[in-house]
Amino acid sequence: VYQVDEGLRLMQEEGAEAIFARHEACAAAARAGLAALGFELFADERHYSRTVTAATVPDGLDWKAFNAELKARGLVLAGGQGKLKGHIFRLGHLGSVTLQEILGALATMEAVSLESGRSVEPGAAVAAAQRAALATKGIFSMSVAGTTA
């Protein structure tokens, strides 16, 4: 009950409009950043989610090794399930996830990609993500839990 009360308090403090704007900005940033890293987005653009972005694991990328290195650096992504296990991964941006956290996740994925020998332009993922978030309007003026996003 205390968790529900605290969650509701935080939601009331941030406001519904700001919550939806943050989710939209995080989703746009995740999609743009993953695409800049060379990951193909799993969903058709007409069905993109504001809460999670799924991408395919490219041929030649050892998902287990890649994911293990991400986890070693503190980034946990959800892998595919069932017949999609080892073929897709998911980057969540629901709840209290902030744009800074999405940018950090993309920076970590970029560093691991580069160290794994993938052909990635340094800085491209975060730059693409920032441009996409800015295009959603007002993301950097939102106040999230007492900090400016």
mmCIF file of all heavy atoms in Angstrom, residues 3-28:
data_model
loop_
_atom_site.group_PDB
_atom_site.id
_atom_site.type_symbol
_atom_site.label_atom_id
_atom_site.label_comp_id
_atom_site.label_asym_id
_atom_site.label_seq_id
_atom_site.Cartn_x
_atom_site.Cartn_y
_atom_site.Cartn_z
ATOM 1 N N GLN A 3 3.778 1.557 -1.341
ATOM 2 C CA GLN A 3 4.333 1.739 -2.684
ATOM 3 C C GLN A 3 3.319 2.393 -3.610
ATOM 4 O O GLN A 3 3.670 3.270 -4.402
ATOM 5 C CB GLN A 3 4.758 0.394 -3.270
ATOM 6 C CG GLN A 3 6.021 -0.155 -2.662
ATOM 7 C CD GLN A 3 6.366 -1.510 -3.243
ATOM 8 O OE1 GLN A 3 5.502 -2.381 -3.343
ATOM 9 N NE2 GLN A 3 7.616 -1.680 -3.621
ATOM 10 N N VAL A 4 2.078 1.969 -3.532
ATOM 11 C CA VAL A 4 1.032 2.557 -4.369
ATOM 12 C C VAL A 4 0.865 4.029 -4.017
ATOM 13 O O VAL A 4 0.782 4.888 -4.911
ATOM 14 C CB VAL A 4 -0.304 1.790 -4.213
ATOM 15 C CG1 VAL A 4 -1.437 2.524 -4.924
ATOM 16 C CG2 VAL A 4 -0.167 0.376 -4.749
ATOM 17 N N ASP A 5 0.818 4.343 -2.726
ATOM 18 C CA ASP A 5 0.691 5.738 -2.308
ATOM 19 C C ASP A 5 1.845 6.587 -2.830
ATOM 20 O O ASP A 5 1.639 7.689 -3.333
ATOM 21 C CB ASP A 5 0.647 5.842 -0.779
ATOM 22 C CG ASP A 5 -0.695 5.435 -0.196
ATOM 23 O OD1 ASP A 5 -1.691 5.354 -0.954
ATOM 24 O OD2 ASP A 5 -0.749 5.198 1.027
ATOM 25 N N GLU A 6 3.063 6.070 -2.721
ATOM 26 C CA GLU A 6 4.228 6.826 -3.191
ATOM 27 C C GLU A 6 4.198 6.988 -4.704
ATOM 28 O O GLU A 6 4.505 8.057 -5.238
ATOM 29 C CB GLU A 6 5.530 6.161 -2.739
ATOM 30 C CG GLU A 6 6.786 6.886 -3.158
ATOM 31 C CD GLU A 6 6.936 8.294 -2.578
ATOM 32 O OE1 GLU A 6 6.151 8.692 -1.687
ATOM 33 O OE2 GLU A 6 7.854 9.012 -3.016
ATOM 34 N N GLY A 7 3.819 5.941 -5.409
ATOM 35 C CA GLY A 7 3.716 6.035 -6.863
ATOM 36 C C GLY A 7 2.691 7.072 -7.289
ATOM 37 O O GLY A 7 2.938 7.878 -8.202
ATOM 38 N N LEU A 8 1.560 7.066 -6.635
ATOM 39 C CA LEU A 8 0.517 8.050 -6.949
ATOM 40 C C LEU A 8 0.974 9.473 -6.601
ATOM 41 O O LEU A 8 0.693 10.417 -7.337
ATOM 42 C CB LEU A 8 -0.778 7.712 -6.213
ATOM 43 C CG LEU A 8 -1.485 6.448 -6.698
ATOM 44 C CD1 LEU A 8 -2.645 6.098 -5.775
ATOM 45 C CD2 LEU A 8 -1.944 6.592 -8.137
ATOM 46 N N ARG A 9 1.699 9.619 -5.499
ATOM 47 C CA ARG A 9 2.226 10.928 -5.117
ATOM 48 C C ARG A 9 3.184 11.454 -6.182
ATOM 49 O O ARG A 9 3.117 12.614 -6.604
ATOM 50 C CB ARG A 9 2.931 10.860 -3.764
ATOM 51 C CG ARG A 9 3.399 12.249 -3.265
ATOM 52 C CD ARG A 9 4.328 12.164 -2.077
ATOM 53 N NE ARG A 9 5.621 11.577 -2.402
ATOM 54 C CZ ARG A 9 6.594 12.199 -3.092
ATOM 55 N NH1 ARG A 9 6.415 13.424 -3.545
ATOM 56 N NH2 ARG A 9 7.733 11.593 -3.344
ATOM 57 N N LEU A 10 4.082 10.581 -6.628
ATOM 58 C CA LEU A 10 5.045 10.985 -7.657
ATOM 59 C C LEU A 10 4.347 11.345 -8.970
ATOM 60 O O LEU A 10 4.730 12.317 -9.635
ATOM 61 C CB LEU A 10 6.071 9.879 -7.882
ATOM 62 C CG LEU A 10 7.065 9.648 -6.746
ATOM 63 C CD1 LEU A 10 7.880 8.385 -7.002
ATOM 64 C CD2 LEU A 10 7.962 10.852 -6.552
ATOM 65 N N MET A 11 3.331 10.564 -9.324
ATOM 66 C CA MET A 11 2.595 10.853 -10.555
ATOM 67 C C MET A 11 1.864 12.192 -10.447
ATOM 68 O O MET A 11 1.864 12.983 -11.393
ATOM 69 C CB MET A 11 1.617 9.730 -10.863
ATOM 70 C CG MET A 11 2.286 8.443 -11.298
ATOM 71 S SD MET A 11 1.115 7.085 -11.510
ATOM 72 C CE MET A 11 0.226 7.652 -12.948
ATOM 73 N N GLN A 12 1.269 12.457 -9.306
ATOM 74 C CA GLN A 12 0.567 13.727 -9.116
ATOM 75 C C GLN A 12 1.554 14.891 -9.149
ATOM 76 O O GLN A 12 1.274 15.941 -9.731
ATOM 77 C CB GLN A 12 -0.201 13.721 -7.796
ATOM 78 C CG GLN A 12 -1.061 14.949 -7.605
ATOM 79 C CD GLN A 12 -1.913 14.857 -6.357
ATOM 80 O OE1 GLN A 12 -1.650 14.070 -5.461
ATOM 81 N NE2 GLN A 12 -2.955 15.674 -6.312
ATOM 82 N N GLU A 13 2.715 14.704 -8.553
ATOM 83 C CA GLU A 13 3.747 15.741 -8.533
ATOM 84 C C GLU A 13 4.220 16.078 -9.952
ATOM 85 O O GLU A 13 4.390 17.247 -10.292
ATOM 86 C CB GLU A 13 4.932 15.260 -7.693
ATOM 87 C CG GLU A 13 6.050 16.264 -7.545
ATOM 88 C CD GLU A 13 7.174 15.705 -6.690
ATOM 89 O OE1 GLU A 13 6.944 15.460 -5.497
ATOM 90 O OE2 GLU A 13 8.271 15.488 -7.240
ATOM 91 N N GLU A 14 4.437 15.045 -10.766
ATOM 92 C CA GLU A 14 4.927 15.285 -12.129
ATOM 93 C C GLU A 14 3.816 15.786 -13.046
ATOM 94 O O GLU A 14 4.049 16.638 -13.903
ATOM 95 C CB GLU A 14 5.544 13.999 -12.701
ATOM 96 C CG GLU A 14 6.182 14.191 -14.054
ATOM 97 C CD GLU A 14 6.887 12.947 -14.567
ATOM 98 O OE1 GLU A 14 6.930 11.921 -13.854
ATOM 99 O OE2 GLU A 14 7.400 13.011 -15.698
ATOM 100 N N GLY A 15 2.629 15.255 -12.890
ATOM 101 C CA GLY A 15 1.498 15.653 -13.734
ATOM 102 C C GLY A 15 1.364 14.769 -14.955
ATOM 103 O O GLY A 15 2.366 14.353 -15.557
ATOM 104 N N ALA A 16 0.137 14.477 -15.317
ATOM 105 C CA ALA A 16 -0.148 13.551 -16.417
ATOM 106 C C ALA A 16 0.469 14.005 -17.735
ATOM 107 O O ALA A 16 1.072 13.214 -18.455
ATOM 108 C CB ALA A 16 -1.655 13.358 -16.572
ATOM 109 N N GLU A 17 0.339 15.282 -18.058
ATOM 110 C CA GLU A 17 0.874 15.782 -19.331
ATOM 111 C C GLU A 17 2.390 15.581 -19.412
ATOM 112 O O GLU A 17 2.924 15.144 -20.442
ATOM 113 C CB GLU A 17 0.520 17.255 -19.498
ATOM 114 C CG GLU A 17 0.863 17.803 -20.869
ATOM 115 C CD GLU A 17 0.369 19.231 -21.045
ATOM 116 O OE1 GLU A 17 -0.778 19.525 -20.671
ATOM 117 O OE2 GLU A 17 1.154 20.034 -21.553
ATOM 118 N N ALA A 18 3.079 15.869 -18.316
ATOM 119 C CA ALA A 18 4.538 15.705 -18.292
ATOM 120 C C ALA A 18 4.927 14.233 -18.364
ATOM 121 O O ALA A 18 5.919 13.884 -19.010
ATOM 122 C CB ALA A 18 5.118 16.349 -17.038
ATOM 123 N N ILE A 19 4.159 13.369 -17.726
ATOM 124 C CA ILE A 19 4.438 11.931 -17.774
ATOM 125 C C ILE A 19 4.326 11.422 -19.202
ATOM 126 O O ILE A 19 5.216 10.727 -19.701
ATOM 127 C CB ILE A 19 3.490 11.146 -16.837
ATOM 128 C CG1 ILE A 19 3.827 11.445 -15.378
ATOM 129 C CG2 ILE A 19 3.570 9.641 -17.118
ATOM 130 C CD1 ILE A 19 2.789 10.930 -14.386
ATOM 131 N N PHE A 20 3.242 11.787 -19.892
ATOM 132 C CA PHE A 20 3.066 11.342 -21.273
ATOM 133 C C PHE A 20 4.150 11.917 -22.181
ATOM 134 O O PHE A 20 4.658 11.227 -23.065
ATOM 135 C CB PHE A 20 1.668 11.695 -21.791
ATOM 136 C CG PHE A 20 0.576 10.880 -21.167
ATOM 137 C CD1 PHE A 20 -0.463 11.484 -20.479
ATOM 138 C CD2 PHE A 20 0.586 9.497 -21.257
ATOM 139 C CE1 PHE A 20 -1.477 10.731 -19.894
ATOM 140 C CE2 PHE A 20 -0.419 8.729 -20.677
ATOM 141 C CZ PHE A 20 -1.451 9.354 -19.995
ATOM 142 N N ALA A 21 4.523 13.172 -21.958
ATOM 143 C CA ALA A 21 5.584 13.789 -22.765
ATOM 144 C C ALA A 21 6.920 13.082 -22.535
ATOM 145 O O ALA A 21 7.678 12.849 -23.478
ATOM 146 C CB ALA A 21 5.700 15.275 -22.433
ATOM 147 N N ARG A 22 7.209 12.732 -21.273
ATOM 148 C CA ARG A 22 8.460 12.024 -20.966
ATOM 149 C C ARG A 22 8.486 10.659 -21.633
ATOM 150 O O ARG A 22 9.501 10.261 -22.224
ATOM 151 C CB ARG A 22 8.619 11.887 -19.443
ATOM 152 C CG ARG A 22 9.866 11.137 -19.017
ATOM 153 C CD ARG A 22 10.112 11.209 -17.517
ATOM 154 N NE ARG A 22 8.954 10.975 -16.678
ATOM 155 C CZ ARG A 22 8.486 9.749 -16.368
ATOM 156 N NH1 ARG A 22 9.065 8.674 -16.848
ATOM 157 N NH2 ARG A 22 7.429 9.628 -15.569
ATOM 158 N N HIS A 23 7.369 9.934 -21.570
ATOM 159 C CA HIS A 23 7.324 8.624 -22.215
ATOM 160 C C HIS A 23 7.499 8.741 -23.729
ATOM 161 O O HIS A 23 8.192 7.931 -24.350
ATOM 162 C CB HIS A 23 6.022 7.891 -21.894
ATOM 163 C CG HIS A 23 5.987 7.338 -20.512
ATOM 164 N ND1 HIS A 23 4.951 7.562 -19.652
ATOM 165 C CD2 HIS A 23 6.878 6.583 -19.842
ATOM 166 C CE1 HIS A 23 5.200 6.956 -18.509
ATOM 167 N NE2 HIS A 23 6.367 6.364 -18.592
ATOM 168 N N GLU A 24 6.884 9.746 -24.320
ATOM 169 C CA GLU A 24 7.015 9.958 -25.766
ATOM 170 C C GLU A 24 8.458 10.286 -26.138
ATOM 171 O O GLU A 24 9.002 9.754 -27.110
ATOM 172 C CB GLU A 24 6.080 11.080 -26.215
ATOM 173 C CG GLU A 24 6.017 11.250 -27.711
ATOM 174 C CD GLU A 24 5.411 10.051 -28.429
ATOM 175 O OE1 GLU A 24 4.447 9.454 -27.922
ATOM 176 O OE2 GLU A 24 5.920 9.704 -29.522
ATOM 177 N N ALA A 25 9.098 11.148 -25.361
ATOM 178 C CA ALA A 25 10.488 11.528 -25.639
ATOM 179 C C ALA A 25 11.426 10.338 -25.456
ATOM 180 O O ALA A 25 12.326 10.119 -26.278
ATOM 181 C CB ALA A 25 10.905 12.684 -24.740
ATOM 182 N N CYS A 26 11.228 9.572 -24.407
ATOM 183 C CA CYS A 26 12.085 8.395 -24.168
ATOM 184 C C CYS A 26 11.918 7.365 -25.285
ATOM 185 O O CYS A 26 12.897 6.770 -25.733
ATOM 186 C CB CYS A 26 11.770 7.771 -22.811
ATOM 187 S SG CYS A 26 12.376 8.735 -21.407
ATOM 188 N N ALA A 27 10.680 7.164 -25.718
ATOM 189 C CA ALA A 27 10.430 6.205 -26.795
ATOM 190 C C ALA A 27 11.092 6.662 -28.097
ATOM 191 O O ALA A 27 11.753 5.873 -28.784
ATOM 192 C CB ALA A 27 8.921 6.021 -26.998
ATOM 193 N N ALA A 28 10.919 7.934 -28.434
ATOM 194 C CA ALA A 28 11.526 8.464 -29.660
ATOM 195 C C ALA A 28 13.045 8.367 -29.588
ATOM 196 O O ALA A 28 13.708 8.005 -30.570
ATOM 197 C CB ALA A 28 11.087 9.914 -29.874
#
